[in-house]
Every structure is written in structure tokens, then in C-alpha cells.
Amino acid sequence: MTVTVGLRPEQLVPEQLVDPGLHATGDPHEVWRWMRAHAPVHHHEPGDLPAFWSLTRYTDIRSVYRDPGTFSSARGVLLRPVAMGEDPGGGTTLALTDPPRHKALRGLMADWFSTRAVRELEGYMRDAIRAVLARAVEQGTCDFVHDVAGRVSLYVIGRILGVPPEDHEDLFQWTNEAFLAHTSLAAHHRFMAYFVDLMDQRLEHPTDDLVTSLVHGTIDGEPLTEEEILLNCENLVGATENGRLALAGGMLALLEHPGELRRLREDRSLLPGAGEEILRWTSSATHSMRTVTTPTVIRGQRIEAGERVVVWVPSGNRDEEIFDHADRFDIGRAPNRHIALAAGEHFCIGSTLARAEMRILLTEILDSVGRIELNGPVVRLRSIHVAGPESIPLYIAAR
């Protein structure tokens, strides 16, 4: 399908949402806007992807997130081609489990993402951000996605997991290879072999890190299997793609809205609100899927047990019924009850970390960077799973 910008109303077809080209070169928000008004609950027939129901309204999306009993994550949370079968991590990882297993698994990890843990990490985050910014300033140009946002997100999760600093760059390269190829990290042999070795080391020599917590943790008196540990490590590292896209998308939003960047330079008290608006505006997780466990009704439409429901998060975060001037980027927006980090049982375990990374990165840019402007065309990802820039070439200079 060839996607063009500025589609006429008769060209707005919900089936376009599963075309990666729309998300790369078109405007999916045009489709979502039409669907919120005309088809907020829409059935997609099977093809390369399985049949599913689309939800585009904020209240419906939030209700799905908050009802894991009816809307299960255990059979997968992303649309996958039928030929690939169901997600192999189903029922195993934090993202692909339901209560009570989800709560127990989350309990093994939660301390590493708590407010206290993030506060203790802030010094490390600040040093890492200063280092990547200094390198970019020294070069005079950079790809903000790869050189800044990607490294920051990866280095921080590496630190939490217990990956030694000297291995961070290898981890960064492996994740980049997987992200650019749109393949799972679980299929990257060097990545998985590395974590097998790290897991074995922590089994013999426990240290103060998350891999140690997983290796020595138990649920209902039983230790996690090797597969569970590996897939959860893969899941946590894979989630840095959302982190990098939020950071990079935030920088792009400020460059595209220079008035808002000027507001932020003049009033640092807007930093927390700017972070929340960036999360709403970028909505890096494009969709999340659930499987219905018992017949339910949404806006008068009966959905049967076993059917799939897909919530389009960016659409919910632009819902006119919830957000005034929803299509305006406003760092002073209040209230801002976005759902970029999900809700309910599956509210993002790294939410406090994500907000801290955003705040520190913006602060360091405001403090140390003078000139920052685009140095070429922005390339957007061809993906229905995650949204945001694949490349942001920049000129960058010190203050």
C-alpha cells in the first residue's frame, strides 16, 4: 500500500492501521480521529494477522488495562503474523502474565524501579547523559536517536541488570541490530548467550543487581526457570526501545515546537509537565493486545471469549473527550492523565525511571547545549508496534 499524507475522509480506512507504511510516512492520527468518531470499536478480518477488535477511545482503553481478568495478556500483547504462532514468552514474562503470577513476578523486580532506587541511580544517569552529550557536542553532529537517547536508555537498564560498564557498548550494539531488523532480542544468539553467562555468574556469586534477584528469587517457593529469567531479561532490555523513542520523540517535539522549547528554557518549573506531555505526545507503544477470557460488551458490541482486542494507545492520548486541544503540544498541560505508560496491573514498572531519565536529559540539554537544530530529514519507524523516529540528524553545539 502507498500511503499519502492528508487523506480525504472517504480514504480513511481502519485497515490502514496495520500497514507499517502509514506509521512511517503518513499520519495514523487521521485514521484514529475518524475511528474515534465513527468506529470506536471496529472488527478487523483475519489475513496475515489474526482477526481482532480495535479500540480507539481513551475510556475503553483504560478499562481494558484495568480489567486483566477479562482481558488477558498471557497469550501475547502484540499483533503477530499468524504464521509466527503465539508469542513464546506467553505466561512467562512480566508483560505476558496475568494475576496472580504477574503480581508475584513484579514483586521480584519492583524494588529496582522504586522511587528510592531511581533516586540512587540519578547520579549515574546524569553522568551517562553528560558523557553522551559531550561526545555529540565534540563531534558537532549526531543522530539523536542512536547516539544519545539509545545509549542513555540502554546504559541505565544495563546498570540495573548488573551488566558491567565495559560490556554496555556490546549490549547497545546487539539491541540496535535487533531493533533495526525488527526482530526479537530472544533470536539474537550473542545477546542470549551473554545473559546465560551472566545468570550463571550470579548463581555462583550473587551481587546487588536485578539478575541476582531473578536468579535467587522464588514464586510460591519455586525458583524461576532459566527460560523465565532469560526472557524477562530480554523483555526488560527490549523495553528500552520505548524509552529511546520517548526521549528522542520528546527532543523532536521540542524542535518542531520552538515556542515550547523557549518556554522550557525560560521556566524550569515546567520540566515535570514537559515530561508528561512528551509521554502523551510521543506514545511510543503504538498498540497493546489482549485476549478476551469471557464474553464482554464494549459500546454495545459483544466480543466473545478467545477473541483479541487491540488498544491503540496514541489514539487514546489524543481523545478529544479527555484532552482539551488534544492535537496541540503543550508542556504546561494540566491535568494530563495520559495512558502512555498503561494503567492497572500492567502500569509500566519503569515509569519512575522513565520520568527521571526524561527530566535529567532535558535539564542537561538546557544547561550545556546552546545550538541544537535539525541536520537533515527525520526518518520515522516502519512499525505498528512502536512509534517514533528511527533517525534524527542534528547539529549540536555547547552553550
Side-chain angles (χ1 to χ4, degrees):
M1 176 185 293
T2 299
V3 177
T4 56
V5 179
L7 296 171
R8 297 188 302 274
E10 63 272 19
Q11 294 176 302
L12 296 173
V13 179
E15 280 61 38
Q16 291 170 317
L17 289 177
V18 298
D19 176 11
L22 175 69
H23 301 268
T25 61
D27 183 5
H29 284 285
E30 286 188 301
V31 180
W32 286 320
R33 191 178 302 116
W34 183 90
M35 291 178 69
R36 288 195 300 271
H38 302 284
V41 182
H42 176 80
H43 188 259
H44 297 253
E45 296 299 325
D48 291 340
L49 298 172
F52 66 94
W53 293 89
S54 272
L55 303 184
T56 49
R57 281 288 185 187
Y58 177 100
T59 53
D60 299 330
I61 295 170
R62 186 174 174 84
S63 294
V64 167
Y65 274 140
R66 297 179 69 86
D67 185 3
T70 303
F71 302 98
S72 170
S73 302
R75 292 179 59 185
V77 296
L78 295 176
L79 285 167
R80 292 163 56 91
V82 174
M84 292 179 64
E86 294 189 0
D87 195 312
T92 300
T93 68
L94 187 65
L96 303 180
T97 48
D98 297 323
R101 182 76 180 181
H102 175 83
K103 184 176 181 180
L105 192 55
R106 193 180 185 98
L108 295 178
M109 307 183 197
D111 285 350
W112 295 97
F113 299 95
S114 67
T115 300
R116 177 180 176 181
V118 171
R119 190 180 301 120
E120 292 174 351
L121 267 174
E122 286 198 4
Y124 173 80
M125 286 191 278
R126 189 169 290 107
D127 289 345
I129 288 169
R130 286 176 177 172
V132 296
L133 286 176
R135 182 188 306 174
V137 166
E138 182 179 358
Q139 294 172 345
T141 61
C142 72
D143 180 340
F144 194 86
V145 180
H146 181 276
D147 299 326
V148 179
R151 279 192 164 87
V152 169
S153 296
L154 199 284
Y155 290 176
V156 172
I157 196 63
R159 168 81 171 225
I160 291 170
L161 287 166
V163 175
E166 61 269 23
D167 294 338
H168 284 182
E169 196 61 22
D170 283 339
L171 193 61
F172 176 65
Q173 295 303 328
W174 297 334
T175 56
N176 270 335
E177 289 167 7
F179 292 163
L180 292 176
H182 303 293
T183 58
S184 168
L185 278 167
H188 195 297
H189 298 303
R190 294 180 68 189
F191 175 90
M192 296 302 280
Y194 180 89
F195 274 95
V196 168
D197 289 342
L198 186 61
M199 183 180 68
D200 290 343
Q201 292 171 29
R202 295 301 184 261
L203 191 61
E204 293 295 324
H205 304 289
T207 58
D208 190 25
D209 57 45
L210 180 49
V211 170
T212 297
S213 295
L214 292 174
V215 168
H216 293 275
T218 62
I219 295 179
D220 297 330
E222 295 293 327
L224 300 183
T225 66
E226 178 180 290
E227 180 185 34
E228 287 175 315
I229 296 168
L230 289 173
L231 289 178
N232 276 287
C233 289
E234 182 266 344
N235 187 242
L236 290 167
V237 176
T240 63
E241 185 171 24
N242 293 99
R244 77 159 70 185
L245 291 173
L247 294 174
M251 189 72 256
L252 181 61
L254 290 168
L255 291 172
E256 291 178 336
H257 300 83
E260 296 303 284
L261 179 56
R262 189 163 50 250
R263 285 178 73 190
L264 193 57
R265 287 191 183 279
E266 294 171 355
D267 184 0
R268 297 290 184 90
S269 71
L270 290 170
L271 269 169
E276 296 306 314
E277 181 67 345
I278 285 169
L279 289 170
R280 182 191 78 90
W281 188 257
T282 59
S283 294
S284 62
T286 306
H287 79 259
S288 192
M289 185 178 73
R290 299 293 188 268
T291 301
V292 175
T293 62
T294 187
T296 189
V297 176
I298 302 176
R299 294 185 184 262
Q301 176 62 60
R302 182 179 172 89
I303 301 176
E304 300 295 342
E307 293 190 295
R308 295 171 175 85
V309 167
V310 168
V311 299
W312 297 98
V313 180
S315 177
N317 280 334
R318 300 284 184 97
D319 192 332
E320 307 83 354
E321 291 183 354
I322 304 298
F323 301 98
D324 293 335
H325 307 289
D327 288 319
R328 185 171 73 193
F329 180 68
D330 177 7
I331 64 170
R333 181 180 297 278
N336 194 345
R337 295 184 290 271
H338 65 80
I339 46 175
L341 301 172
E345 293 277 350
H346 281 271
F347 184 69
C348 177
I349 194 172
S351 60
T352 302
L353 180 66
R355 288 173 166 128
E357 284 182 0
M358 184 77 70
R359 171 175 49 81
I360 295 170
L361 177 61
L362 291 176
T363 298
E364 293 302 321
I365 289 173
L366 295 174
D367 285 347
S368 64
V369 175
R371 179 191 182 199
I372 184 167
E373 59 189 55
L374 290 174
N375 178 31
V378 173
V379 178
R380 298 191 66 84
L381 285 166
R382 290 180 58 85
S383 173
I384 66 170
H385 300 136
V386 289
E390 182 175 317
S391 174
I392 307 177
L394 294 180
Y395 289 116
I396 185 168
R399 293 191 61 144

Coordinates of all heavy atoms in Angstrom, one line a residue, residues 106 110-122 125 156 160 276 279 341 347-360:
R106 N 6.3 -9.4 39.4 CA 6.6 -8.0 39.5 C 7.3 -7.7 40.9 O 8.1 -6.9 41.0 CB 5.3 -7.2 39.4 CG 5.4 -5.7 39.3 CD 4.0 -5.1 39.2 NE 4.1 -3.7 38.9 CZ 4.0 -3.1 37.7 NH1 3.7 -3.8 36.7 NH2 4.1 -1.8 37.6
A110 N 10.3 -5.2 41.5 CA 9.8 -3.8 41.8 C 10.8 -2.9 42.5 O 10.9 -1.7 42.3 CB 8.5 -3.9 42.6
D111 N 11.6 -3.5 43.5 CA 12.5 -2.7 44.3 C 13.5 -2.0 43.4 O 14.0 -0.9 43.8 CB 13.2 -3.5 45.3 CG 12.3 -3.9 46.5 OD1 11.2 -3.3 46.6 OD2 12.7 -4.7 47.3
W112 N 13.9 -2.6 42.3 CA 14.9 -2.0 41.4 C 14.4 -0.8 40.6 O 15.2 -0.1 40.0 CB 15.4 -3.1 40.4 CG 16.1 -4.1 41.2 CD1 15.7 -5.3 41.6 CD2 17.5 -4.0 41.7 NE1 16.6 -6.0 42.4 CE2 17.7 -5.2 42.4 CE3 18.5 -3.0 41.6 CZ2 19.0 -5.4 43.1 CZ3 19.7 -3.3 42.3 CH2 19.9 -4.5 43.0
F113 N 13.0 -0.6 40.6 CA 12.4 0.5 39.9 C 11.7 1.5 40.8 O 10.9 2.3 40.3 CB 11.5 0.0 38.8 CG 12.2 -0.9 37.8 CD1 12.3 -2.3 37.9 CD2 12.9 -0.3 36.7 CE1 12.9 -3.0 37.0 CE2 13.6 -1.1 35.8 CZ 13.6 -2.5 35.9
S114 N 11.9 1.3 42.1 CA 11.2 2.1 43.1 C 11.7 3.5 43.1 O 12.8 3.8 42.5 CB 11.3 1.5 44.5 OG 12.7 1.6 44.9
T115 N 11.0 4.4 43.7 CA 11.4 5.8 43.8 C 12.8 5.9 44.5 O 13.6 6.7 44.0 CB 10.4 6.6 44.6 OG1 9.1 6.6 43.9 CG2 10.8 8.1 44.7
R116 N 13.0 5.1 45.5 CA 14.3 5.2 46.2 C 15.4 4.7 45.3 O 16.5 5.3 45.2 CB 14.2 4.3 47.5 CG 15.5 4.2 48.2 CD 15.4 3.3 49.4 NE 16.7 3.2 50.1 CZ 16.9 2.5 51.2 NH1 15.9 1.8 51.8 NH2 18.1 2.4 51.7
A117 N 15.2 3.6 44.6 CA 16.2 3.0 43.7 C 16.5 4.0 42.6 O 17.7 4.2 42.2 CB 15.7 1.7 43.1
V118 N 15.5 4.6 42.0 CA 15.7 5.6 40.9 C 16.5 6.8 41.5 O 17.4 7.3 40.8 CB 14.4 6.0 40.3 CG1 14.6 7.2 39.3 CG2 13.8 4.8 39.6
R119 N 16.2 7.2 42.7 CA 16.9 8.4 43.2 C 18.4 8.1 43.4 O 19.2 8.9 43.1 CB 16.3 8.7 44.6 CG 16.8 10.1 45.2 CD 16.2 10.4 46.5 NE 14.7 10.4 46.4 CZ 13.9 9.7 47.1 NH1 14.3 8.7 47.9 NH2 12.6 9.8 46.9
E120 N 18.7 6.8 43.8 CA 20.1 6.4 43.9 C 20.8 6.3 42.6 O 22.0 6.4 42.5 CB 20.1 5.1 44.7 CG 19.7 5.2 46.2 CD 19.6 3.9 46.9 OE1 19.8 2.8 46.2 OE2 19.4 3.9 48.1
L121 N 20.0 6.1 41.5 CA 20.6 6.0 40.2 C 20.8 7.3 39.5 O 21.4 7.4 38.5 CB 19.6 5.2 39.3 CG 19.8 3.7 39.2 CD1 18.7 3.0 38.4 CD2 21.2 3.4 38.5
E122 N 20.2 8.4 40.1 CA 20.2 9.7 39.4 C 21.7 10.1 39.1 O 21.9 10.7 38.0 CB 19.4 10.7 40.1 CG 18.0 10.5 40.0 CD 17.2 11.7 40.4 OE1 17.8 12.8 40.7 OE2 15.9 11.7 40.4
M125 N 22.8 8.3 36.1 CA 22.1 8.7 34.9 C 22.7 10.0 34.4 O 22.9 10.3 33.2 CB 20.6 8.8 35.1 CG 19.9 7.5 35.2 SD 18.1 7.6 35.2 CE 17.8 8.0 36.9
V156 N 21.4 2.6 31.2 CA 20.7 2.6 32.5 C 20.2 1.2 32.9 O 20.4 0.7 34.0 CB 19.7 3.7 32.6 CG1 18.8 3.6 33.9 CG2 20.3 5.1 32.5
I160 N 21.1 -1.5 36.0 CA 20.2 -2.2 36.9 C 20.3 -3.7 36.8 O 20.3 -4.4 37.9 CB 18.7 -1.7 36.5 CG1 18.6 -0.2 36.8 CG2 17.7 -2.6 37.2 CD1 17.3 0.4 36.3
E276 N 5.6 14.9 31.1 CA 4.3 14.2 31.0 C 3.7 14.4 29.6 O 3.2 13.5 28.9 CB 3.3 14.7 32.0 CG 3.7 14.3 33.5 CD 4.0 12.8 33.6 OE1 3.2 12.0 33.2 OE2 5.0 12.5 34.2
L279 N 5.5 12.3 27.0 CA 5.0 10.9 27.1 C 3.6 10.8 26.4 O 3.4 9.9 25.6 CB 4.9 10.5 28.5 CG 6.2 10.2 29.3 CD1 5.9 10.0 30.8 CD2 6.9 9.0 28.7
L341 N 1.9 5.1 29.7 CA 2.6 4.1 30.5 C 1.6 3.0 30.9 O 1.9 2.3 31.9 CB 3.3 4.7 31.7 CG 4.3 5.8 31.3 CD1 4.8 6.5 32.6 CD2 5.5 5.1 30.6
F347 N 0.6 -1.3 34.6 CA 1.2 0.0 34.6 C 2.7 -0.2 34.6 O 3.3 -1.0 35.3 CB 0.8 0.8 35.9 CG 1.3 2.2 35.9 CD1 0.8 3.1 35.0 CD2 2.3 2.6 36.8 CE1 1.3 4.5 35.0 CE2 2.8 3.9 36.8 CZ 2.3 4.8 35.9
C348 N 3.4 0.6 33.7 CA 4.8 0.4 33.5 C 5.7 0.4 34.7 O 5.7 1.3 35.5 CB 5.3 1.5 32.5 SG 7.1 1.5 32.2
I349 N 6.4 -0.7 34.9 CA 7.2 -0.9 36.1 C 8.3 0.1 36.1 O 8.8 0.5 37.2 CB 7.8 -2.3 36.2 CG1 8.3 -2.6 37.6 CG2 8.8 -2.6 35.2 CD1 8.7 -4.0 37.9
G350 N 8.7 0.6 35.0 CA 9.8 1.6 34.8 C 9.3 3.0 34.7 O 10.1 3.9 34.3
S351 N 8.1 3.3 35.1 CA 7.6 4.6 35.0 C 8.4 5.7 35.7 O 8.7 6.8 35.1 CB 6.1 4.7 35.4 OG 6.0 4.3 36.8
T352 N 8.8 5.4 36.9 CA 9.6 6.4 37.7 C 10.9 6.6 37.0 O 11.4 7.7 36.9 CB 9.8 6.0 39.1 OG1 8.5 5.8 39.7 CG2 10.5 7.0 40.0
L353 N 11.5 5.5 36.6 CA 12.8 5.6 35.9 C 12.7 6.4 34.6 O 13.5 7.3 34.3 CB 13.3 4.2 35.6 CG 14.6 4.1 34.8 CD1 15.8 4.6 35.7 CD2 14.9 2.6 34.4
A354 N 11.6 6.1 33.8 CA 11.4 6.9 32.5 C 11.3 8.4 32.7 O 11.9 9.2 32.0 CB 10.2 6.3 31.8
R355 N 10.5 8.7 33.8 CA 10.4 10.2 34.1 C 11.7 10.8 34.5 O 12.0 11.9 34.1 CB 9.3 10.3 35.1 CG 7.9 10.0 34.6 CD 6.8 10.0 35.6 NE 5.5 10.1 35.0 CZ 4.5 9.2 35.3 NH1 4.7 8.2 36.2 NH2 3.3 9.3 34.8
A356 N 12.5 10.1 35.3 CA 13.7 10.6 35.7 C 14.7 10.8 34.6 O 15.4 11.8 34.5 CB 14.3 9.7 36.8
E357 N 14.8 9.8 33.7 CA 15.6 9.9 32.5 C 15.2 11.1 31.7 O 16.1 11.9 31.2 CB 15.5 8.7 31.6 CG 16.3 7.5 32.2 CD 16.2 6.3 31.2 OE1 15.5 6.4 30.2 OE2 16.7 5.2 31.5
M358 N 13.9 11.3 31.5 CA 13.5 12.5 30.7 C 13.9 13.8 31.4 O 14.4 14.7 30.7 CB 11.9 12.4 30.6 CG 11.3 13.4 29.7 SD 11.6 13.1 27.9 CE 10.5 11.7 27.7
R359 N 13.6 13.9 32.7 CA 13.9 15.1 33.4 C 15.4 15.5 33.3 O 15.8 16.6 33.1 CB 13.4 15.0 34.8 CG 13.8 16.1 35.7 CD 13.2 16.0 37.1 NE 13.4 14.7 37.7 CZ 14.5 14.3 38.3 NH1 15.5 15.1 38.4 NH2 14.5 13.1 38.8
I360 N 16.2 14.5 33.6 CA 17.7 14.7 33.7 C 18.2 15.0 32.3 O 19.0 15.9 32.1 CB 18.4 13.5 34.3 CG1 18.0 13.3 35.7 CG2 19.9 13.7 34.2 CD1 18.5 12.0 36.4

